[in-house]
Structures are given as structure tokens and as C-alpha cells.
């Protein structure tokens, strides 16, 4: 009798045996789960770190510490925006000054409350004055935080250091004049280095160029009918040197250029200057005055740039023997002495062809057709603000 083989029973037994492949799949699933959990944890931790950093940066922004310079700049920006929206309220002439206070700027929503910049512990008030110089507007902030801080003008800083002997700033009448050889009166503008000559009775600050001018020029080279040839005419208002100076004043300054140019002022520098009356009266070689009374007998009004008078050159020397313009002792103890020749604005009286020029510190009366450097003089606004410096050549005064 043969044995029967049941295929169905065989198949049933096979399906009930353990499947090794399923065991392997379970172990793999656990490893994938652990990886997913680790990735989720890392993502949560990374998100928490990013959130912390964002909150930290936000807290820094919300609690920003403003310097007083920052606040003054904010006041100026707010005032510029205000007058951009209200141009008819800007000053209409060089003699007009317009002021706007911080309360108005806050109320008009051009800046935040002052306490948002200073903090609760400091109380400040402020205003911005606006003046015009042609097409340029000078915005001057004045921040008053009591004992903590008060904006200082350059004029205020300078006139705190008055002397009565030796080298320094002297009070002369209603003005303050630098005298002597080693005086701390250097001032750096954007385009060039200058020396402070004096603070006028109106508080304006006269500067003379310290950097060597771009080129030498004739004071004048026109045909002189009295002399009979092109030797020049010593009338400043129509002179060649005035034409050269006006050109230098307008020349555009490029701070990125490596080439020396005739530009002596940047646009920002020009905005801080004011027009002034230049004393252009002629002077005899025997005159002993030093107060500009002779030179100011004739005026060129509304000048933006000029040259130094003979009286101002003499006053800079503290040598008591400097009593006439041609006296060689005027070069002694005089910070205005340079190693190049330069013109004064003052012409020689009783002559139509000569003007005064400085050669190695010694003043000469020479033909206007001669060539010397035009050492420019400008006048800074009385409200220009002190920024830094000690007035030395290495640490010159700087303005905001």
C-alpha cells in the first residue's frame, strides 16, 4: 500500500514557521525611529537657539544705547525731513536763521520722544538752527542734558583758552586773535588743513589755508595805462587773484582721488562757511596801525573767500618792533610764516601797480604781475560745532 502525500498539509505547516525576514524588518524600524527622534530633537534644539538669538538681538535693538553724537545726528535728520516737507519755512537769506525745537519734531512725528534715546535717568532738551549760504543749508543741533552733556560750538571751546602773554589766543577789542609762533590753532576740514586766525566780534571764525595752494598766480596782470604796459592794476575787486580764489572756492573736491587738485573745500565744508566783508583798502609802507582801520576803509561786501590783510599779518607777530608792514621783525614769533611766497589782499597806497606779498616771512611791496601763491582766507559760521582735537598739527581741531 502506497503512502499518500498531502500537499495542502505541507503548505499549512510551512506558513506557521517563524519568518526570519520579519524579525530583521522590526529591528530596522526601531533604528529608523531613533534617527527620526534624534533629528526632531536636533531641529527643536536648533529652533530654540535661533529663537534665543532673535530675542537677544531684538532686546539689543529695543534697548539701544545712543551716544550724544547719535542723538544730535537724529535731531538734524529729523529737522532736514521736516524742512523738506515745509520748504517755505527755511531761511530765505544769509542773514536769517530759523530754529525748530525737539518738541515740535516729536509732535510732528519726525523723531521719537527724547527719553527713548537718553533713557529715563537723563533729561534733555534740544533744538536745531538752520542757516543758508547760497544754495547750502547748515543744520546745527543744540542738545542740552544739563550736567551730563551740552553741545559745544568751536567758538566756545576756543575762547575758553585766552592768554595775556606768550603764544596763544589774545582778546583784542571785541575779537580774539591768535598771536605768536607755536600756537595751537590748526583745524582740519575735509579737503585741507587750515590755521585759525581769529574769532570775530560776531563769533565767526577766520581761517587761513595751511596747505600749500595748488599753483602760484599773478595778483593782477592787466594793462596799466598809467605805467604803459601789462604790469597789473592793484584794485582787488577786479584782480586776477580774486578770480583765482573764486574758482578755488567752487572747485569740486573728490576725496577718493589720489591726485592733488585745486579744490580746497568739500561741499560740506562750504555749507559751514559764511559770506563776509573783506577789507581791501590800500596801505602805505609807513603806516603803523594793526587794527585794520586803514584796510577796512574800503570794503568788498559779501565775499566767500579772500586773502589776509596786512594788519592781520602784523598782529600775528608778538615782536614789539613789528610796527610797519615792511619791517623784517614781523616774521619773528609769527605762526603765519611759510617756506613759500604768498599774496596779501592789501595793495600799496600811492601806487597802481604794487601789492604786498610775503616771502619767507618778510613782506615786500612788489609788482602785481609777479607770481605768488593765493593763500586763501574763509570765514566759518559762528555756530559750527566742536568735534575733537587739541589744535596741534598732529591733533588738529575738527568740527561736526
Amino acid at each position: 500500500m502506497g503512502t499518500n502525500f498531502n500537499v495542502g498539509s505541507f503548505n499549512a505547516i510551512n506558513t506557521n514557521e517563524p519568518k526570519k525576514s520579519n524579525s530583521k524588518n522590526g529591528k530596522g524600524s526601531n533604528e529608523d525611529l531613533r534617527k527620526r527622534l534624534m533629528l526632531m530633537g536636533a531641529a527643536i534644539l536648533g529652533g530654540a537657539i535661533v529663537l534665543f538669538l532673535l530675542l537677544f538681538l531684538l532686546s539689543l535693538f529695543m534697548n539701544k544705547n545712543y551716544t550724544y553724537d547719535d542723538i544730535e545726528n537724529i535731531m538734524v535728520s529729523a529737522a532736514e525731513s521736516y524742512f523738506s516737507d515745509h520748504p517755505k519755512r527755511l531761511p530765505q537769506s544769509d542773514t536769517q536763521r530759523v530754529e525748530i525745537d525737539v518738541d515740535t519734531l516729536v509732535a510732528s512725528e519726525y523723531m521719537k520722544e527724547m527719553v527713548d534715546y537718553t533713557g529715563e535717568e537723563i533729561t534733555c532738551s534740544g533744538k536745531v538752527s538752520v542757516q543758508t549760504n547760497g544754495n547750502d543749508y547748515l543744520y546745527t543741533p543744540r542738545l542740552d542734558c544739563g550736567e551730563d552733556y551740552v553741545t559745544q560750538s568751536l567758538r566756545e571751546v576756543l575762547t575758553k583758552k585766552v592768554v595775556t602773554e606768550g603764544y596763544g589766543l589774545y582778546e583784542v577789542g571785541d575779537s580774539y586773535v591768535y598771536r605768536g609762533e607755536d600756537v595751537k590753532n590748526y583745524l582740519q576740514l575735509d579737503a585741507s588743513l587750515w590755521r585759525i586766525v581769529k574769532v570775530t566780534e560776531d563769533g565767526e571764525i577766520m581761517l587761513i589755508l595751511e596747505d600749500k595752494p595748488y599753483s602760484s598766480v599773478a595778483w593782477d596782470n592787466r594793462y596799466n595805462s598809467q605805467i604803459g604796459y601789462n604790469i597789473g592794476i592793484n584794485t582787488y575787486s577786479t584782480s586776477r587773484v580774486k578770480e583765482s580764489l573764486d574758482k578755488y572756492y567752487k572747485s569740486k573736491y573728490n576725496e577718493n582721488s589720489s591726485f592733488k587738485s585745486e579744490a580746497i573745500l568739500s561741499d560740506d565744508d562750504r555749507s559751514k562757511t559764511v559770506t563776509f566783508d573783506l577789507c581791501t583798502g590800500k596801505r602805505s609802507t609807513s603806516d603803523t596801525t594793526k587794527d585794520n582801520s586803514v584796510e577796512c576803509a574800503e570794503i568788498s561786501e559779501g565775499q566767500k573767500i579772500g586773502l589776509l590783510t596786512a594788519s592781520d599779518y602784523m598782529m600775528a607777530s608778538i615782536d614789539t618792533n613789528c610796527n610797519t608792514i615792511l619791517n623784517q621783525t614781523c616774521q619773528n614769533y609769527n605762526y603765519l610764516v611759510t617756506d613759500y611766497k604768498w599774496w596779501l589782499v592789501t595793495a600799496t597806497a600811492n601806487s597802481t601797480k604794487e601789492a604786498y606779498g610775503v616771502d619767507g616771512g618778510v613782506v615786500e611791496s612788489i609788482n602785481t604781475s609777479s607770481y605768488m601763491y593765493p593763500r586763501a582766507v574763509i570765514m566759518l559760521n559762528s555756530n559750527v560745532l566742536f568735534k575733537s582735537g587739541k589744535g596741534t598739527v598732529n591733533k588738529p581741531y575738527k568740527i561736526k
Side-chain angles (χ1 to χ4, degrees):
M1 183 175 173
T3 304
N4 292 325
F5 189 80
N6 192 325
V7 175
S9 298
F10 178 80
N11 288 339
I13 292 171
N14 284 344
T15 57
N16 288 330
E17 288 180 354
K19 296 180 179 180
K20 294 183 181 180
S21 60
N22 286 344
S23 174
K24 289 181 180 179
N25 286 340
K27 183 177 180 181
S29 297
N30 289 336
E31 289 177 354
D32 289 343
L33 180 60
R34 281 196 297 270
K35 289 180 180 180
R36 291 192 188 97
L37 290 174
M38 289 176 67
L39 288 173
M40 289 178 62
I44 293 171
L45 180 61
I49 292 173
V50 170
L51 181 61
F52 174 79
L53 289 174
L54 287 174
L55 291 174
F56 175 72
L57 293 173
L58 183 62
S59 68
L60 288 179
F61 178 78
M62 295 295 290
N63 298 291
K64 180 180 178 180
N65 293 320
Y66 292 87
T67 67
Y68 294 115
D69 279 349
D70 290 337
I71 299 172
E72 288 170 343
N73 291 334
I74 290 169
M75 290 164 58
V76 168
S77 296
E80 289 174 338
S81 297
Y82 176 89
F83 284 107
S84 177
D85 294 337
H86 306 86
K88 292 184 179 180
R89 299 179 186 179
L90 282 165
Q92 302 302 310
S93 69
D94 291 354
T95 58
Q96 184 183 7
R97 183 172 69 178
V98 175
E99 291 185 347
I100 184 168
D101 58 42
V102 165
D103 291 340
T104 301
L105 294 172
V106 171
S108 304
E109 298 184 348
Y110 289 94
M111 61 182 291
K112 295 184 290 186
E113 295 279 354
M114 189 64 77
V115 70
D116 292 328
Y117 307 112
T118 63
E120 298 284 350
E121 65 279 4
I122 300 176
T123 301
C124 300
S125 61
K127 61 184 179 181
V128 179
S129 66
V130 189
Q131 291 176 274
T132 181
N133 179 18
N135 296 323
D136 300 315
Y137 289 97
L138 175 63
Y139 287 78
T140 306
R142 185 77 179 184
L143 181 62
D144 188 346
C145 302
E147 295 181 356
D148 293 293
Y149 177 81
V150 176
T151 303
Q152 292 188 92
S153 67
L154 177 63
R155 168 179 50 84
E156 291 169 328
V157 171
L158 296 178
T159 54
K160 289 178 181 177
K161 303 174 182 178
V162 176
V163 301
T164 57
E165 60 182 4
Y167 303 158
L169 186 67
Y170 284 74
E171 188 171 359
V172 180
D174 295 326
S175 301
Y176 297 87
V177 180
Y178 276 102
R179 305 184 66 200
E181 188 171 9
D182 184 18
V183 292
K184 297 178 176 62
N185 64 345
Y186 289 91
L187 185 140
Q188 181 69 58
L189 295 181
D190 291 339
S192 46
L193 184 66
W194 300 73
R195 302 296 288 268
I196 302 169
V197 177
K198 59 184 173 182
V199 180
T200 71
E201 59 185 31
D202 296 324
E204 294 165 353
I205 301 168
M206 178 185 286
L207 306 181
I208 187 169
L209 187 65
E210 177 68 8
D211 287 337
K212 189 175 182 178
Y214 181 70
S215 62
S216 60
V217 299
W219 204 96
D220 193 67
N221 60 1
R222 290 180 171 85
Y223 179 80
N224 188 317
S225 59
Q226 289 187 7
I227 308 301
Y229 55 94
N230 288 47
I231 199 168
I233 303 170
N234 63 359
T235 301
Y236 178 78
S237 61
T238 56
S239 67
R240 297 298 190 194
V241 72
K242 181 182 184 302
E243 292 176 356
S244 297
L245 288 167
D246 290 341
K247 180 182 177 182
Y248 295 156
Y249 182 85
K250 297 175 183 177
S251 295
K252 293 296 183 181
Y253 167 66
N254 181 3
E255 64 180 347
N256 297 317
S257 175
S258 59
F259 297 99
K260 180 175 174 59
S261 74
E262 60 190 23
I264 56 175
L265 296 168
S266 68
D267 290 341
D268 189 51
D269 292 337
R270 274 188 290 273
S271 73
K272 295 169 183 173
T273 66
V274 294
T275 58
F276 60 100
D277 293 340
L278 183 63
C279 297
T280 56
K282 298 179 181 181
R283 179 190 181 102
S284 70
T285 56
S286 59
D287 195 291
T288 59
T289 62
K290 298 182 184 180
D291 58 0
N292 278 310
S293 57
V294 171
E295 291 88 341
C296 292
E298 186 175 340
I299 295 290
S300 290
E301 297 180 347
Q303 301 300 300
K304 294 182 177 180
I305 192 169
L307 297 171
L308 197 71
T309 67
S311 280
D312 286 333
Y313 184 78
M314 293 172 67
M315 181 58 73
S317 171
I318 61 170
D319 193 314
T320 56
N321 295 308
C322 176
N323 49 24
T324 61
I325 187 58
L326 299 184
N327 193 313
Q328 293 194 24
T329 61
C330 293
Q331 68 184 298
N332 294 337
Y333 321 115
N334 191 331
Y335 71 91
L336 290 169
V337 174
T338 66
D339 59 359
Y340 59 86
K341 302 177 182 181
W342 50 283
W343 286 113
L344 296 175
V345 72
T346 309
T348 308
N350 304 318
S351 167
T352 60
K353 68 182 180 69
E354 294 183 348
Y356 294 109
V358 185
D359 183 358
V362 177
V363 179
E364 301 174 344
S365 179
I366 59 176
N367 293 336
T368 55
S369 57
S370 302
Y371 274 70
M372 288 190 168
Y373 288 94
R375 194 177 179 189
V377 166
I378 59 173
M379 198 78 74
L380 288 182
N381 191 297
S382 61
N383 290 322
V384 292
L385 301 182
F386 170 77
K387 181 179 181 180
S388 63
K390 297 182 178 180
T392 63
V393 67
N394 294 321
K395 293 184 178 179
Y397 290 121
K398 293 183 179 180
I399 56 179
K400 296 180 181 180

